[in-house]
Amino acid sequence: MSGATVTWATTEAAVATVSSSGLVTSVGNSTGSINGTATITVAQVASTLEVSLGTTNLSSSGDTITLSATVKNSGGSAIPDATVMWTTLDTLIATVSAAGLVTAGARGSATITATDMAAEPVVLQLT
């Protein structure tokens, strides 16, 4: 893994020393261990965005439905704590909260979009 910072340590300094670059130098006869520790950061990249909803029909002003979204990586595993942004094109017809709660306003059709920064947006048509 290129670019990783490794911290080297010896368990027996009387047997061998190890430099910060990993160079081991013998000091005496015996047995010891040289250990390397690397700290890595994994940042998954979104590949797909899936949206779940129970219904697409809101019959009266004030009715609500909750949309949920799952962001997945290229291996199909869900990315925990991924941020999904919800938007609506016509707030008079329907509003959508940051949590995906859609509230009906006036009669008509509304387009709700779920977006993750890396995955393709999902567009829903609600009536």
Side-chain angles (χ1 to χ4, degrees):
M1 171 176 13
S2 66
T5 302
V6 178
T7 304
W8 297 99
T10 180
T11 60
E12 297 292 333
V15 176
T17 60
V18 62
S19 71
S20 61
S21 64
L23 177 65
V24 177
T25 304
S26 66
V27 177
N29 295 328
S30 191
T31 303
S33 297
I34 303 296
N35 300 311
T37 302
T39 301
I40 61 168
T41 301
V42 177
Q44 297 185 71
V45 175
S47 177
T48 59
L49 174 61
E50 297 176 359
V51 175
S52 301
L53 65 151
T55 181
T56 59
N57 291 319
L58 299 167
S59 58
S60 301
S61 179
D63 284 356
T64 62
I65 59 171
T66 301
L67 307 174
S68 63
T70 304
V71 179
K72 294 185 176 182
N73 63 24
S74 60
S77 297
I79 300 174
D81 301 324
T83 301
V84 174
M85 292 159 286
W86 299 96
T87 57
T88 181
L89 293 179
D90 190 343
T91 57
L92 294 176
I93 304 296
T95 59
V96 61
S97 72
L101 178 67
V102 178
T103 304
R107 295 186 63 79
S109 294
T111 300
I112 307 291
T113 304
T115 308
D116 175 84
M117 294 309 286
E120 289 293 319
V122 175
V123 179
L124 307 168
Q125 188 67 38
L126 303 178
T127 55

